């Protein structure tokens, strides 16, 4: 049976470190980190995410603002709100919950966030730094996965890593990071997707298989090499007739029998994502303090 990679426990440890650093800032009379989360519209899943981000801030003693805009808001209104937050000195991180309604251009909205407050790491400037091998804000889910691998002492150096999925939020930045000359990198990385020919063969090459394809139980036992590490980024709500609860992009029951280590869903990658958002917000605050001292 595979080792369970416990994201809840790992996230708890990292949050403990973040809280200690924030408490230290308070006792040193330094500014506390502040995060603004913008939600446009009323998608119920996004509401849940946004609320949990606010709660996480509160627990760590961070400052947080939740800004809700109606689904019919214009792109100009969203960008105007971001401009105000860009110049709000209480705020070090700005996150616009995605997806945005169809009538709003996501690229223009993301590009209006000050790169210094882009704690999601989605602004082209920060993507550029990452690809150039000098990451500043690492997107939260990839960052969480790197931290999980580190916590379980799973080295990536020299390994065959296959990333299944090419989204801007997960697959693309993660595949870049893993190939960098860095402690968490030095891997031989293959990025593949739903249109890749011979996917099962490609996946079976992996020493570490990272799945972010957004399809329920897509990866089955026949796609996994014996002894591989499997990281499941997916989360899908199951209907009552499917047994309720949630499942991932990996068919956990069959794959855990062949993997050496695997993340469960829920309780694997999920708890790490918000934690790394908190980490990035703390980092943005520390960078702001350092700039002010210059
Ligand atoms: N929607 C789902 N995941 C994310 C994320 O990591 N960042 C943002 N901004 N929106 C999301």
């Amino acid at each position: 049976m595979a080792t369970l990679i416990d994201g809840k426990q790992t996230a708890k440890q990292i949050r403990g470190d973040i809280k200690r650093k924030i408490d230290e800032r308070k006792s040193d009379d330094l500014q506390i980190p502040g995060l603004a989360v913008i939600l446009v519209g009323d998608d119920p899943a996004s509401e849940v995410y946004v609320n949990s981000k606010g709660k996480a801030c509160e627990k760590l003693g961070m400052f947080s603002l939740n800004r809700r805009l109606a689904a019919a808001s214009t792109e100009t209104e969203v960008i105007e709100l971001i401009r105000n937050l860009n110049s709000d000195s209480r705020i070090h991180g700005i996150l616009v919950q995605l997806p945005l309604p169809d009538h709003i251009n996501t690229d223009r909205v993301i590009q209006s966030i000050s790169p210094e407050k882009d704690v999601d790491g989605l602004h082209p400037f920060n993507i550029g730094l990452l690809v150039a091998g000098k990451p500043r804000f690492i997107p939260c889910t990839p960052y969480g996965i790197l931290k999980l691998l580190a916590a379980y002492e799973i080295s990536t150096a020299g390994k065959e890593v296959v990333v299944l999925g090419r989204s801007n939020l997960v697959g693309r930045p993660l595949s870049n990071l893993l190939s960098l000359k860095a402690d968490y990198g030095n891997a031989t990385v293959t990025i593949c997707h739903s249109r890749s020919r011979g996917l099962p063969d490609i996946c079976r090459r992996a020493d570490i298989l990272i799945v972010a394809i957004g399809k329920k139980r897509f990866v089955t036992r026949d796609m996994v090499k014996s002894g591989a590490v499997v990281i499941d980024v997916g989360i899908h709500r199951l209907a009552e007739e499917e047994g309720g609860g949630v499942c991932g992009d990996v068919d956990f029951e069959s794959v855990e029998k062949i993997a050496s280590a695997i993340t469960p869903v829920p309780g694997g990658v999920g708890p790490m994502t918000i934690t790394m958002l908190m980490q990035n917000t703390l980092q943005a605050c520390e960078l702001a303090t350092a700039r002010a001292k210059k």
Side-chain angles (χ1 to χ4, degrees), residues 46 49 53 95-99 120 122 140-141 169 273:
S46 291
Y49 289 134
K53 284 163 190 163
L95 179 137
V96 179
Q97 185 66 34
L98 302 177
D120 240 350
L122 298 179
C140 306
T141 302
L169 274 174
T273 298

Side-chain angles (χ1 to χ4, degrees), residues 198-274:
L199 260 185
D201 283 338
I202 298 171
C203 292
R204 265 195 305 272
R205 288 210 304 257
D207 300 313
I208 302 173
L209 177 61
I210 302 173
V211 190
I213 195 161
K215 292 184 203 272
K216 216 182 272 181
R217 298 184 180 127
F218 181 82
V219 168
T220 46
R221 181 179 171 142
D222 58 302
M223 296 166 78
V224 179
K225 178 168 79 174
S226 176
V229 172
V230 180
I231 306 289
D232 188 351
V233 182
I235 184 148
H236 309 273
R237 218 159 280 285
L238 293 168
E240 287 302 324
E241 56 272 24
E242 294 173 299
V246 293
C247 78
D249 288 354
V250 174
D251 181 37
F252 184 86
E253 275 185 22
S254 70
V255 172
E256 76 159 339
K257 295 192 175 79
I258 189 169
S260 63
I262 186 167
T263 56
V265 176
V269 173
M272 296 297 289
T273 298
I274 293 183

Side-chain angles (χ1 to χ4, degrees), residues 174-186:
L174 187 56
S175 59
N176 263 290
L177 286 159
L178 289 162
S179 72
L180 291 180
K181 197 168 186 173
D183 288 344
Y184 50 75
N186 290 316

Side-chain angles (χ1 to χ4, degrees), residues 88-139:
D88 185 334
S89 61
R90 299 169 304 170
I91 295 297
H92 306 95
I94 301 171
L95 179 137
V96 179
Q97 185 66 34
L98 302 177
L100 287 168
D102 288 344
H103 67 278
I104 296 177
N105 182 308
T106 302
D107 289 340
R108 277 198 293 264
V109 168
I110 288 173
Q111 284 169 33
S112 73
I113 300 172
S114 160
E116 271 129 22
K117 298 192 176 187
D118 167 42
V119 284
D120 240 350
L122 298 179
H123 190 288
F125 188 90
N126 288 318
I127 296 173
L129 285 176
L130 187 152
V131 174
K134 299 185 172 49
R136 174 167 58 183
F137 298 120
I138 300 180

